[in-house]
Structure formats: C-alpha cells, structure tokens
Amino acid sequence: MADDQNPVLFLQAVDRRYPQGDTALEILKGAEFGAWLGQSVALVAPSGTGKSTLLHIAGLLEHPDGGEVYVDGVATSKLPDVERTRIRRTEMGFVYQAHHLLPEFTALENVVMPQMIRGLSRKEAQVRAGELLSYLGLKNRMTHRPAELSGGEQQRVAIARAMANAPRILLADEPTGNLDPHTANHVFETLTQLVRASGLAAIIATHNAELAGRMDRRVTIQDGMVVEMT
Ligand code: ADP
C-alpha cells in the first residue's frame, strides 16, 4: 500500500523505443520514477524527450518495451486489459493540453459523466460535480457548455472531470500549454491547491519553469532516464 515510504506509482527500469527505419528511436532507457501521495511533481524537459510517452506509460495507456509499472505496489504489465482499465478509471485522472470536453454537454454534465460510468447514481454524481466545480471557482458556470466558457474555465472543468472519481494519481500533459500566461497562472494555482487539498500524487508535464518552481519536486528526462532537478 502507498504510504510515506512507498510510492503510489513506481516506474521500474522502463524502456520505450519506437522503430525508425532499420534502427530504433530509444526514448526511455531504464527510466525509474516514483510518485508519492500528497506530492506534486513537475516533469520539465524539451519537446520530443519523452514526457508524453512517460505519462502514457504511467497512466497504463501504453505498455513499455521493458520494465514494470507498479500502482500501489501492484505490478501492472501482465494484468489483463480489463483490470488495467479498472485501475486507470479508479486510481487515475488525466488532464491534457486540449480540454477534450464533450461539446454538447454542460460543465456539470461533463463532470457527472465519468462518475456515472463508474456506477454512481446521477444524484450522487451531481453533488460531487457541483462541489468540485464550486471549489474550482465555477459555481456560476455549471450550466454552460464548453463553447460558452473561456479557455481557462474550460481547463478548470477538465481538471474537475479528471478529479471526479477521486483519483489518487493525477497525470497532466501541458495542462496550461494553450492558455495565456495570466490564465495559465490562475489555472495552475487552482490545480496545485486541489492537489494539496486532496492529497493525491500529481505529475504535471510543463514547459513553464516558473510554474514548475511552485511544485514540490521537479524532474527531467535525460538520455532516456528520469533525473531529479535541484
Ligand atoms: P514530449 O512529450 O517530451 O514532447 P513524446 O513522448 O511525445 O515527447 O515523444 C518522444 C519522441 O518519441 C519524439 O521524438 C516522438 O517523435 C517519438 N514518438 C512518440 N510517439 C511515437 C510513435 N507512436 N511512433 C514513433 N515515434 C514516436
């Protein structure tokens, strides 16, 4: 089980390569990385170094070519797909650069949906969605559709949706990459507050060194390895 000593997520000796002509493009080469509950980690590395690859592998969306991904101490590589999907749905939340909200549904419904897929009643899901959106400063935007929201508001709804099933691991890939600096700052602030309040482990890929500086820990990818930054 995850506790102060044991990471909730652990990547052990992870390799990932993509075929490139006769050779292979080696993106991750024995990468090791642990994430602990209550801790936010910024993943800061130049474009093309493997941040998305690392997040996909951590999020059980992709299999590594070698190594293992442990979630709460459980090795996931040989689990059946249905079990990997269950872990992903119950333990993980994802936020991407584009919000990927469903355009025909309101902010509230977008946050209700993943909870109902998981088996909660509409009423229970609505209560939690309302609380989350209010916490994120969107109390007066719940009935708006994505097109009726600003970029920063859309991204805050996407964060609420990622948090809807109370995940213990939040994986975010450039969540403020499409926003202007002021809005990015605000969204990031809300995101980090939420991480602290909920005690989950967050791994956030970002190009923004200033935003990364506010997180508990910073790592980068060098020569296919995850390296701590000081
Ligand atoms: P980052 O998120 O740091 O920009 P990525 O993880 O998206 O980096 O990609 C790392 C490298 O792997 C890039 O050079 C990219 O072109 C390559 N890559 C990613 N996915 C694939 C794929 N499915 N097939 C081939 N090459 C890929």
Side-chain angles (χ1 to χ4, degrees):
M1 288 295 287
D3 53 33
D4 284 354
Q5 273 88 47
N6 297 310
V8 66
L9 172 74
F10 187 62
L11 272 60
Q12 184 183 54
V14 162
D15 297 327
R16 185 72 174 120
R17 61 188 83 88
Y18 297 111
Q20 194 187 45
D22 294 341
T23 58
L25 189 61
E26 295 203 63
I27 304 301
L28 299 174
K29 293 187 280 183
E32 304 256 342
F33 173 74
W36 280 263
L37 291 174
Q39 188 184 63
S40 58
V41 187
L43 176 57
V44 194
S47 191
T49 43
K51 298 183 298 296
S52 300
T53 303
L54 187 86
L55 290 174
H56 287 162
I57 290 172
L60 312 185
L61 292 162
E62 224 178 273
H63 278 280
D65 295 302
E68 187 56 89
V69 178
Y70 293 90
V71 178
D72 223 356
V74 175
T76 57
S77 67
K78 295 187 180 66
L79 294 175
D81 280 347
V82 61
E83 180 58 12
R84 287 168 61 90
T85 302
R86 188 198 64 78
I87 294 174
R88 199 160 52 236
R89 283 218 183 111
T90 55
E91 302 269 348
M92 297 178 181
F94 297 87
V95 184
Y96 300 95
Q97 185 165 357
H99 58 75
H100 296 304
L101 297 170
L102 297 170
E104 66 274 33
F105 293 101
T106 65
L108 189 82
E109 287 161 347
N110 266 283
V111 185
V112 161
M113 211 93 58
Q115 301 178 72
M116 290 185 67
I117 292 171
R118 209 188 145 187
L120 260 69
S121 72
R122 178 175 291 276
K123 204 160 178 213
E124 287 170 307
Q126 280 174 340
V127 171
R128 177 159 172 87
E131 283 169 3
L132 272 169
L133 289 168
S134 300
Y135 187 86
L136 290 163
L138 295 167
K139 199 177 165 112
N140 299 322
R141 298 287 185 279
M142 295 205 204
T143 57
H144 289 226
R145 293 203 165 76
E148 300 160 347
L149 296 167
S150 71
E153 288 166 348
Q154 289 168 346
Q155 212 45 342
R156 279 184 279 150
V157 177
I159 293 168
R161 180 189 50 187
M163 300 291 293
N165 285 331
R168 300 202 303 154
I169 302 163
L170 183 74
L171 301 166
D173 199 349
E174 301 276 357
T176 60
N178 282 344
L179 306 175
D180 65 76
H182 177 76
T183 312
N185 193 38
H186 182 226
V187 169
F188 218 82
E189 195 65 36
T190 343
L191 181 60
T192 41
Q193 265 171 24
L194 197 62
V195 167
R196 289 209 182 98
S198 55
L200 50 65
I203 302 132
I204 304 178
T206 178
H207 276 305
N208 190 321
E210 193 215 321
L211 297 181
R214 295 200 222 144
M215 307 199 50
D216 297 322
R217 197 177 134 209
R218 279 148 294 286
V219 299
T220 188
I221 301 175
Q222 258 170 27
D223 300 327
M225 302 281 289
V226 179
V227 180
E228 300 287 331
M229 295 167 82
T230 47

